[in-house]
Amino acid sequence: MNDEGAPIRPAGRWVSVRLQHRHVSFDDGFEADEPLPDGDCADEASLSYSGIVISSYDRGEKVSERWIPLGVDPSEADDEQLIGQLREALLWQAGRPPQAAEE
Protein backbone atom coordinates (compact mmCIF):
# COMPACT_ATOMS: atom_id res chain seq x y z
CA MET A 1 0.00 0.00 0.00
CA ASN A 2 1.12 3.56 -0.63
CA ASP A 3 0.60 6.61 1.62
CA GLU A 4 -2.92 7.19 0.22
CA GLY A 5 -4.04 3.64 0.99
CA ALA A 6 -4.10 2.54 -2.66
CA PRO A 7 -2.38 -0.70 -3.62
CA ILE A 8 0.99 -0.35 -5.33
CA ARG A 9 0.73 -1.43 -8.97
CA PRO A 10 3.16 -4.01 -10.30
CA ALA A 11 6.04 -2.77 -12.46
CA GLY A 12 5.08 -4.94 -15.44
CA ARG A 13 1.80 -5.26 -17.29
CA TRP A 14 -1.55 -4.77 -15.57
CA VAL A 15 -5.17 -4.20 -16.53
CA SER A 16 -7.77 -1.88 -15.00
CA VAL A 17 -11.50 -2.64 -15.38
CA ARG A 18 -14.06 -0.06 -14.27
CA LEU A 19 -17.60 1.16 -14.86
CA GLN A 20 -17.85 4.56 -16.54
CA HIS A 21 -20.68 6.84 -17.67
CA ARG A 22 -20.27 8.74 -20.93
CA HIS A 23 -22.13 11.83 -22.04
CA VAL A 24 -23.01 12.72 -25.64
CA SER A 25 -24.34 16.17 -26.50
CA PHE A 26 -26.18 16.86 -29.77
CA ASP A 27 -26.16 20.65 -29.34
CA ASP A 28 -25.89 22.53 -32.71
CA GLY A 29 -25.00 19.33 -34.55
CA PHE A 30 -21.83 18.83 -32.48
CA GLU A 31 -21.25 15.56 -30.69
CA ALA A 32 -19.04 15.39 -27.61
CA ASP A 33 -18.24 12.06 -26.01
CA GLU A 34 -16.79 12.54 -22.56
CA PRO A 35 -16.73 10.62 -19.29
CA LEU A 36 -19.14 11.70 -16.58
CA PRO A 37 -18.68 10.77 -12.93
CA ASP A 38 -22.39 10.34 -12.21
CA GLY A 39 -24.07 9.63 -15.56
CA ASP A 40 -26.54 12.55 -15.32
CA CYS A 41 -27.91 14.13 -18.49
CA ALA A 42 -27.50 17.88 -18.78
CA ASP A 43 -30.59 18.55 -20.95
CA GLU A 44 -32.92 17.12 -23.60
CA ALA A 45 -30.25 17.48 -26.32
CA SER A 46 -27.90 15.06 -24.59
CA LEU A 47 -27.63 11.45 -23.57
CA SER A 48 -25.59 9.55 -20.99
CA TYR A 49 -24.96 5.84 -20.89
CA SER A 50 -22.85 3.31 -19.02
CA GLY A 51 -20.02 1.13 -20.20
CA ILE A 52 -17.01 -0.83 -19.05
CA VAL A 53 -13.56 0.63 -19.63
CA ILE A 54 -10.66 -1.82 -19.93
CA SER A 55 -7.31 -0.01 -19.72
CA SER A 56 -3.98 -1.78 -20.24
CA TYR A 57 -0.76 -0.47 -18.68
CA ASP A 58 2.83 -1.47 -19.32
CA ARG A 59 5.47 -0.22 -16.85
CA GLY A 60 3.10 2.49 -15.66
CA GLU A 61 2.22 3.79 -19.17
CA LYS A 62 -1.30 3.37 -20.57
CA VAL A 63 -0.93 1.44 -23.83
CA SER A 64 -4.58 0.85 -24.72
CA GLU A 65 -8.11 1.55 -23.63
CA ARG A 66 -11.34 -0.13 -24.74
CA TRP A 67 -14.83 1.06 -23.93
CA ILE A 68 -17.66 -1.45 -24.15
CA PRO A 69 -21.18 0.01 -23.86
CA LEU A 70 -23.66 -1.65 -21.49
CA GLY A 71 -27.21 -1.72 -22.70
CA VAL A 72 -30.25 -1.56 -20.45
CA ASP A 73 -31.13 -5.10 -21.51
CA PRO A 74 -27.87 -6.68 -22.74
CA SER A 75 -28.09 -9.60 -25.12
CA GLU A 76 -26.10 -12.81 -24.99
CA ALA A 77 -23.94 -11.39 -27.81
CA ASP A 78 -23.20 -8.29 -25.65
CA ASP A 79 -22.16 -10.56 -22.78
CA GLU A 80 -19.94 -12.64 -25.07
CA GLN A 81 -18.25 -9.50 -26.42
CA LEU A 82 -17.48 -8.30 -22.88
CA ILE A 83 -16.17 -11.71 -21.83
CA GLY A 84 -13.96 -11.85 -24.93
CA GLN A 85 -12.52 -8.37 -24.28
CA LEU A 86 -11.81 -9.22 -20.63
CA ARG A 87 -10.18 -12.49 -21.64
CA GLU A 88 -7.92 -10.77 -24.19
CA ALA A 89 -6.91 -8.11 -21.65
CA LEU A 90 -6.04 -10.70 -19.00
CA LEU A 91 -4.07 -12.81 -21.48
CA TRP A 92 -2.14 -9.68 -22.45
CA GLN A 93 -1.49 -8.95 -18.76
CA ALA A 94 -0.13 -12.48 -18.32
CA GLY A 95 2.19 -11.98 -21.32
CA ARG A 96 0.48 -14.63 -23.42
CA PRO A 97 -0.33 -14.05 -27.08
CA PRO A 98 -4.04 -13.89 -27.93
CA GLN A 99 -5.40 -17.18 -29.27
CA ALA A 100 -7.43 -17.49 -32.46
CA ALA A 101 -11.19 -17.58 -31.89
CA GLU A 102 -12.72 -21.03 -31.98
CA GLU A 103 -15.00 -21.73 -34.87
Side-chain angles (χ1 to χ4, degrees), residues 27-61:
D27 192 21
D28 297 328
F30 174 75
E31 291 186 34
D33 193 2
E34 57 192 48
L36 281 182
D38 57 9
D40 289 337
C41 285
D43 55 35
E44 291 181 6
S46 63
L47 166 70
S48 65
Y49 47 99
S50 299
I52 301 237
V53 178
I54 303 173
S55 303
S56 300
Y57 296 85
D58 193 0
R59 296 180 190 95
E61 299 281 330

Side-chain angles (χ1 to χ4, degrees), residues 16-86:
S16 165
V17 178
R18 66 189 189 281
L19 179 66
Q20 184 182 74
H21 300 282
R22 293 221 171 162
H23 182 76
V24 179
S25 177
F26 302 99
D27 192 21
D28 297 328
F30 174 75
E31 291 186 34
D33 193 2
E34 57 192 48
L36 281 182
D38 57 9
D40 289 337
C41 285
D43 55 35
E44 291 181 6
S46 63
L47 166 70
S48 65
Y49 47 99
S50 299
I52 301 237
V53 178
I54 303 173
S55 303
S56 300
Y57 296 85
D58 193 0
R59 296 180 190 95
E61 299 281 330
K62 186 189 296 185
V63 295
S64 72
E65 185 171 271
R66 288 164 279 192
W67 193 84
I68 302 147
L70 294 176
V72 174
D73 188 19
S75 67
E76 187 174 331
D78 294 334
D79 293 344
E80 291 298 323
Q81 178 189 10
L82 176 58
I83 291 166
Q85 292 289 325
L86 289 169

